[in-house]
Amino acid sequence: MIPKYKRVILKISGEALAGEGRFGLDADTINAISDQIKECVQLGVQIAIVVGGGNFWRGRSGKGMDRTTADHMGMLATVINALALQDALESREIPTRVQTAIEMRQIAEPYIRRKAVRHLEKGRIVIFACGTGNPYFSTDTTAALRAAEIDAEIILLAKKVDGVYDSDPVHNPNAVKFDRLTYIDILNRGLGVMDSTATSLCMDNNIPIMVFGLAQPENIKRVIMGEHIGTLVKEEDK
């Protein structure tokens, strides 16, 4: 089997790591994700991961709190998820490095682009934590930024929902799922795929996005092998 993609960014939301719960980490979910990542690495795929922190804290959750402080707390939440994922991967003998946008040398490497690329070339997983290191920017924007920096071929956006819908499928049973969208569709319709900053960054750098559900962790491998199982976001075909 030959994978369609050689180097990818896998964006995993914090909510996805919580499994069926809304808070914390679900060991079964993390183990299932790690098993799939191991299979992909064994196929020669270079995988960098961006983790969210919504299963512990979101910057916008800090009502009445200074936004910068609240966002920094959210960045720390992503480190918890990154370390948990690193532990699960390394227990499967997959060498993994966590790189943080805010330096915390005792537990992770600082983010250095050239070093991250070198890790990938050596077959190591790289997990990017702390977002961009700046408040007011989401981890979706981090995924777009890191994808551009390391020349990833696609962003795999793993969510609890199995694609992009015209409305929230949790509250609207008649919501319609999109098979393909353009970046402009996302921006004009205000669809909840990525925030506008992340979407614009992907559009400017022509980075495709595949949005799919992580309820079935085997979807990670299916997407990397080229199977269309969610919603593909890319520029309009000429």
Side-chain angles (χ1 to χ4, degrees):
M1 295 188 295
I2 301 176
K4 181 175 181 178
Y5 304 106
K6 178 67 175 177
R7 179 179 294 173
V8 304
I9 285 276
L10 174 61
K11 168 59 169 58
I12 304 177
S13 68
E15 290 88 342
L17 293 176
E20 294 300 320
R22 293 186 176 183
F23 184 85
L25 295 163
D26 181 73
D28 291 340
T29 298
I30 292 175
N31 287 330
I33 292 170
S34 299
D35 287 339
Q36 287 299 301
I37 291 173
K38 179 177 180 178
E39 287 191 36
C40 295
V41 169
Q42 290 173 335
L43 292 171
V45 182
Q46 298 176 12
I47 301 177
I49 302 171
V50 173
V51 288
N55 52 328
F56 290 109
W57 179 265
R58 284 183 176 277
R60 62 175 179 265
S61 300
K63 294 181 180 179
M65 181 182 291
D66 175 75
R67 174 64 186 271
T68 299
T69 299
D71 281 356
H72 281 148
M73 291 170 63
M75 293 176 205
L76 296 178
T78 70
V79 179
I80 297 174
N81 289 335
L83 293 176
L85 197 52
Q86 179 187 43
D87 182 77
L89 289 166
E90 292 201 328
S91 72
R92 289 160 174 76
E93 300 183 348
I94 301 296
T96 307
R97 300 291 185 270
V98 173
Q99 291 195 343
T100 57
I102 297 175
E103 289 195 20
M104 42 188 77
R105 293 178 180 272
Q106 287 84 352
I107 58 175
E109 297 179 358
Y111 171 66
I112 300 173
R113 174 189 170 275
R114 289 180 179 272
K115 198 165 187 178
V117 171
R118 186 61 177 152
H119 285 321
L120 293 171
E121 291 173 344
K122 288 186 175 182
R124 299 168 183 153
I125 298 290
V126 181
I127 305 175
F128 298 121
C130 288
T132 66
N134 301 293
Y136 297 93
F137 291 94
S138 69
T139 51
D140 283 345
T141 299
T142 304
L145 178 61
R146 297 290 183 251
E149 289 179 312
I150 69 170
D151 296 320
E153 297 170 78
I154 191 171
I155 296 174
L156 310 182
L157 204 58
K159 292 179 170 286
K160 277 196 169 184
V161 182
D162 64 347
V164 183
Y165 289 78
D166 63 351
S167 59
D168 189 345
V170 175
H171 299 102
N172 179 13
N174 297 316
V176 177
K177 180 181 174 182
F178 295 105
D179 184 60
R180 291 175 179 267
L181 289 166
T182 66
Y183 307 107
I184 294 297
D185 289 333
I186 301 296
L187 295 171
N188 288 345
R189 300 188 188 193
L191 299 172
V193 180
M194 284 181 153
D195 58 77
S196 59
T197 303
T199 304
S200 297
L201 190 54
C202 287
M203 180 171 64
D204 291 345
N205 292 278
N206 194 24
I207 303 169
I209 308 160
M210 180 66 82
V211 186
F212 64 98
L214 199 56
Q216 294 79 35
E218 64 272 12
N219 284 348
I220 296 173
K221 182 179 177 181
R222 292 171 64 190
V223 172
I224 286 177
M225 297 306 295
E227 191 172 341
H228 190 132
I229 59 174
T231 302
L232 179 64
V233 183
K234 58 180 293 189
E235 69 175 355
E236 192 171 356
D237 294 328
K238 302 298 183 181

